[in-house]
Amino acid sequence: MTQTESIHPQKHGPVADAQGLLFGSGIASAAMVILTHLGLVTGQTAGLAVLLSYVTGYSFGTVFFVVNLPFYWLGYRRMGWRFTLKTFAAVGLLSLFSNHLPDFFQIGYIHPAVGAILFGMMSGAGLLALFRHGASLGGVGILALYLQDSTGFRAGYTQLLFDTCVFTLAFFVIDTPLVLYSLLGALVVNLTITINHRKDWYVAT
C-alpha cells in the first residue's frame, strides 16, 4: 500500500455496501437464532428485545425492530442520514431474517457454552461487517454517543450501565445457569469487536 492510498482510502460503493449489509445482518440473524433457541440473552438493545420476546411471546425480530424505532432520530443527529438509513436497513434485515430463518434453519442439540461462543463469534463478525460499511444495529450505542456529545458522560459507561440492567433483569426471566452462559456469549462478542475493530487494520470507508 502506498502512502497516498493510506491517506486517501478507497470508499465502498453501493454494491459493496449492499453485500456488507446483507452479510452482517444475515450472520447476526443466524447468531440470534442460536441464542434464542438456547433461551439465552445478550447485551444492548438486542438483549432487551430478547427479554421482551421471552416475556410477551412476540418474535424477537418484531420486538427488535420496534425497540429500535426511537433511536433513529438520535442516529441522524449524531451520525448523519447515510449512517441512519444503513442502520435502518440493517435492523430491518436482521428482524426479517431472524423471524424467518427458523423455517429453513433447524437446530438440534447444542451445548449452551458452545452455543454462546458460536453466537459471540458470529454476531461479532456480523457487527464488524456492518461497522465497516457505515452501519450498526442501532439502539443503545447511538444513545451512548449522543449522551457523550451532549453531557460528556462516557459512551462506554452508558453501555455498561444498560447491559448491567439487562443481565440483572435476565435473572428474573431465565434460569441462573442460562444467564451465566449468556455472559460468556456477551464476552466473546465484545472481545471479537475489541480485537478486530481497528482503523489501522482497515482503510476502506
Side-chain angles (χ1 to χ4, degrees):
M1 179 185 297
T2 67
Q3 183 176 3
T4 302
E5 288 174 331
S6 64
I7 297 174
H8 302 288
Q10 183 178 359
K11 292 185 177 295
H12 290 300
V15 175
D17 279 342
Q19 69 81 29
L21 294 181
L22 283 170
F23 172 82
S25 301
I27 199 69
S29 301
M32 291 307 304
V33 171
I34 294 173
L35 187 85
T36 54
H37 171 77
L38 293 171
L40 305 181
V41 298
T42 188
Q44 303 296 298
T45 314
L48 176 61
V50 168
L51 286 178
L52 290 174
S53 71
Y54 291 160
V55 171
T56 65
Y58 289 106
S59 67
F60 162 77
T62 301
V63 177
F64 183 67
F65 184 83
V66 172
V67 165
N68 270 288
L69 291 177
F71 296 100
Y72 293 117
W73 172 245
L74 295 179
Y76 170 73
R77 291 285 301 275
R78 175 61 172 75
M79 308 292 287
W81 67 269
R82 288 181 182 275
F83 168 83
T84 304
L85 288 177
K86 288 180 181 179
T87 295
F88 181 82
V91 170
L93 286 170
L94 187 144
S95 299
L96 179 67
F97 291 159
S98 60
N99 274 354
H100 295 287
L101 266 180
D103 296 333
F104 307 93
F105 176 41
Q106 299 293 322
I107 302 175
Y109 172 76
I110 180 170
H111 191 279
V114 174
I117 292 170
L118 287 174
F119 160 79
M121 292 189 296
M122 292 168 65
S123 58
L127 286 167
L128 285 170
L130 294 174
F131 293 161
R132 290 175 175 177
H133 289 272
S136 75
L137 289 175
V140 177
I142 296 174
L143 175 62
L145 291 172
Y146 183 84
L147 289 176
Q148 180 172 279
D149 287 348
S150 59
T151 69
F153 191 72
R154 296 287 294 274
Y157 294 154
T158 298
Q159 292 178 303
L160 179 61
L161 287 171
F162 186 88
D163 281 354
T164 300
C165 292
V166 168
F167 280 102
T168 299
L169 289 173
F171 281 103
F172 297 94
V173 178
I174 63 177
D175 294 335
T176 297
L178 295 181
V179 178
L180 299 179
Y181 286 126
S182 299
L183 286 168
L184 171 63
L187 175 64
V188 174
V189 173
N190 289 319
L191 285 175
T192 300
I193 294 172
T194 299
I195 293 170
N196 293 284
H197 189 47
R198 288 178 48 178
K199 290 183 178 180
D200 57 326
W201 286 356
Y202 190 81
V203 297
T205 60

